[in-house]
Amino acid sequence: MRSTVVSLTSLLTVFSLAACGSVPGSTFDAGGVDDAGTTAVDSGAMPTTFTDFGDPILASGAPASSQGLFGGAAGAQAGGPCLVEPEVNSLYPRNWLRPRFRWIASGGENLFELRVHAPNQTKDLLVHTTDTSWTMPQTMWDLVRGHSNDMPMTLSVRGGVWNGTSLGAVALGSSGPIGIAPVDAPGTIVYWYTNGYTGAIGLNAFAVGDESVTSALTTSQVTEQSTTCMGCHVGTPDGNSVVFSSENGKWGDMIAGLATGGDAGAPGAVPSYAGNAGLQALLQGPLGMSTISKAHWQDGDRVVVASDGAGALQWIDVAATDSTKARGTLARTGTQPAGTLAGAPSFSHDGKSIVYTATNHVADGRLGGYVFDTDDPGSVADLYTVPYNDREGGAIAPVKGASDPLYQEYYPAYSPDDSLIAFNRIPNDKNMYNQPLSEVWIVPAGGGVATRLAANDPPGCTGKTSPGVTNSWPKWAPKVSAASGGRTFYWLVFSSTRAGTLPQLYITPVVVGNGTVQTYASLYLWNQPSTTGNHTPAWEYFNVPTPPPPR
């Protein structure tokens, strides 16, 4: 399966890689790997071939002669339908929602052929339709994802002009590899949505595999203080609440329970462990993006870290009842050539370090401020780390590979095992906020060679390219999974405007093993409403209701 493959020579100090016993995709792991990364063992032998795809499918008014029509027409080898879902070179989590195939006709095409080949399936999936999309039935998906995960699958889409008796102008469109990972993706995604950049604003949610979304929190449900806008959010490690930026006159932070769960109580309620002093310290804005570590989220130690309007990193003890112990500044000793300010921190899961954006431009706690201009002369930014050190901070250090003076690196996020950092990258002298030129990269947490994700690139046949489609705000799934051959699977969610003017959510894997890191194209989340702007996702084990059935 084709993908971006980068040497991990510089990562060997971060990963202890097992020797690869097989070439990825060359063998069928019948047992697969569970969410905990433990290889599951089958109790009995499985067949080597399967019939999951069944007989050819006629859909949406396709004539009964479709297979013969396409089979008898060699057609052009290019210029046919442009596949936009799934993107060629993408890789599905094994437990993902069933695939939807969607393409754009290249001209007057009105009859299409979708084909998917898997080497351990006795028949290809063959679909003929007059529509420009087709969604795999759940029963078929359940079989295929169990039998043909970790197999090198290929797909193709052809189109032609059907006049009722003959088929002309047949042309092959998109074609290439896709695949199903031998592991699941965990958790729940909670994301910020808005009708454009005005109107209704709130948080929606869905668990992996859901075909629709549910409301997680709305501004009208927040009980702590009236608010008309909830901004950047981060989930509490218990999955019950979120801390979010609020337009309360100071752009301070609030904490509110999600739709279900534990201490959260009713949706929007303040958790029972929150102290008045801690709440007031959160509200004392401006504060930018917040971050929380599981290592510092229990009774007696419930800490939020955020950047303030002066470009300092603040710790806030949400449970504090004494105002003198509710908030303080993390010391940062050392020099930052990119600027003295700090913003957009990410707390490591082990609670030992914080990676942040060292910059010369922070406004209201946000990088670059609330502007949409593409140029910001003199703007620079690099990634640095600072030890948490029991709220004391310490000596800062640049992240090698993400502190290039020629680029701005920002919006960092630690992977769940703290071995990788995902981040945005753009040229200098550009505004960081809502930047069309932003792209998603990853780098070893200890520094090394940075890797640009293949998921930045839209399908070439759409005419869109990156930089230029606002790939932004990467967040990791809450757990990594191991698979055969010494491979470790990570999943990322990010937002992009490649589908239009509104940001939409996409996921992509990062696979580490056998001395390399592999990145893949992106998968569009077709369960999200495409009529809203969907952005700033958080991927955790959130406790939210099951979404209603799709309409």
Side-chain angles (χ1 to χ4, degrees):
M1 183 173 180
R2 188 167 71 249
S3 59
T4 298
V5 182
V6 179
S7 171
L8 273 184
T9 301
S10 62
L11 291 182
L12 293 181
T13 57
V14 181
F15 298 102
S16 176
L17 298 176
C20 185
S22 62
V23 177
S26 66
T27 59
F28 174 54
D29 182 0
V33 177
D34 65 17
D35 180 54
T38 304
T39 302
V41 179
D42 283 323
S43 58
M46 292 186 68
T48 57
T49 59
F50 303 91
T51 58
D52 301 337
F53 288 143
D55 294 329
I57 297 170
L58 295 176
S60 186
S65 58
S66 293
Q67 187 175 0
L69 291 168
F70 277 99
Q77 293 304 298
C82 174
L83 185 73
V84 292
E85 288 181 52
E87 294 181 16
V88 173
N89 301 322
S90 58
L91 186 68
Y92 283 89
R94 190 178 54 185
N95 60 335
W96 206 244
L97 69 164
R98 57 197 174 116
R100 183 177 77 174
F101 301 84
R102 188 169 63 87
W103 52 88
I104 301 170
S106 62
E109 301 158 329
N110 58 2
L111 184 62
F112 306 94
E113 178 186 82
L114 168 70
R115 183 184 294 270
V116 176
H117 172 76
N120 69 336
Q121 295 288 341
T122 58
K123 298 180 180 180
D124 288 353
L125 171 65
L126 191 60
V127 179
H128 294 101
T129 179
T130 59
D131 204 349
T132 55
S133 68
W134 181 81
T135 304
M136 184 179 290
Q138 186 66 47
T139 52
M140 181 185 292
W141 175 233
D142 288 340
L143 292 171
V144 173
R145 64 181 176 163
H147 295 152
S148 293
N149 67 73
D150 222 8
M151 300 296 293
M153 305 168 73
T154 57
L155 65 76
S156 62
V157 181
R158 292 199 291 169
V161 178
W162 165 246
N163 63 10
T165 56
S166 62
L167 184 68
V170 175
L172 174 67
S174 302
S175 63
I178 59 168
I180 304 168
V183 300
D184 294 347
T188 305
I189 293 173
V190 171
Y191 67 91
W192 178 86
Y193 75 90
T194 179
N195 294 332
Y197 287 98
T198 59
I201 295 175
L203 301 179
N204 279 343
F206 60 91
V208 170
D210 288 341
E211 293 193 3
S212 60
V213 302
T214 187
S215 175
L217 186 67
T218 64
T219 54
S220 62
Q221 292 174 317
V222 176
T223 61
E224 180 181 350
Q225 191 178 91
S226 177
T227 180
T228 59
C229 176
M230 57 177 65
C232 308
H233 65 283
V234 60
T236 57
D238 55 22
N240 294 332
S241 304
V242 289
V243 173
F244 60 93
S245 183
S246 170
E247 190 175 15
N248 59 356
K250 297 180 180 179
W251 278 108
D253 281 4
M254 295 186 190
I255 185 169
L258 295 172
T260 61
D263 280 323
V270 176
S272 60
Y273 53 73
N276 288 334
L279 294 175
Q280 287 302 311
L282 275 177
L283 282 170
Q284 184 185 334
L287 289 175
M289 294 167 56
S290 301
T291 183
I292 301 171
S293 173
K294 184 177 182 179
H296 297 287
W297 197 259
Q298 55 269 326
D299 289 344
D301 185 24
R302 295 188 186 272
V303 172
V304 173
V305 173
S307 56
D308 65 13
L313 294 178
Q314 299 282 309
W315 60 263
I316 300 99
D317 188 339
V318 175
T321 56
D322 182 344
S323 60
T324 64
K325 300 178 180 179
R327 180 166 166 163
T329 301
L330 279 172
R332 291 178 290 121
T333 58
T335 59
Q336 299 174 181
T340 60
L341 308 179
S346 176
F347 214 154
S348 65
H349 295 77
D350 64 10
K352 295 180 179 180
S353 63
I354 296 164
V355 60
Y356 65 95
T357 305
T359 182
N360 62 348
H361 196 167
V362 173
D364 291 339
R366 291 167 290 197
L367 300 175
Y370 190 76
V371 293
F372 293 88
D373 297 329
T374 57
D375 293 325
D376 190 2
S379 181
V380 290
D382 290 324
L383 296 191
Y384 274 68
T385 59
V386 62
Y388 178 63
N389 194 22
D390 195 23
R391 309 183 186 185
E392 295 297 324
I396 62 175
V399 178
K400 183 180 179 182
S403 53
D404 190 324
L406 298 179
Y407 297 95
Q408 295 185 90
E409 299 95 351
Y410 60 105
Y411 288 172
Y414 275 112
S415 64
D417 60 0
D418 294 327
S419 62
L420 295 172
I421 296 172
F423 62 95
N424 277 19
R425 196 179 90 159
I426 60 173
N428 288 332
D429 302 315
K430 300 292 183 181
N431 178 51
M432 289 177 276
Y433 190 87
N434 195 48
Q435 175 53 250
L437 299 179
S438 62
E439 292 194 318
V440 179
W441 290 62
I442 60 172
V443 70
V449 177
T451 300
R452 177 186 180 273
L453 298 188
N456 286 299
D457 296 318
C461 56
T462 64
K464 296 184 177 182
T465 59
S466 182
V469 292
T470 324
N471 296 308
S472 186
W473 203 275
K475 295 293 181 181
W476 300 92
K479 199 170 189 177
V480 299
S481 298
S484 61
R487 293 169 293 164
T488 301
F489 283 75
Y490 301 77
W491 301 97
L492 275 168
V493 62
F494 66 99
S495 62
S496 177
T497 58
R498 68 189 64 191
T501 58
L502 295 176
Q504 299 282 283
L505 300 181
Y506 297 79
I507 69 153
T508 192
V510 173
V511 183
V512 175
N514 196 29
T516 63
V517 56
Q518 291 180 284
T519 73
Y520 297 80
S522 67
L523 283 171
Y524 177 71
L525 302 172
W526 60 261
N527 57 342
Q528 65 188 305
S530 61
T531 55
T532 58
N534 307 322
H535 196 29
T536 62
W539 198 345
E540 300 288 351
Y541 291 104
F542 291 107
N543 296 316
V544 295
T546 300
R551 296 180 180 179

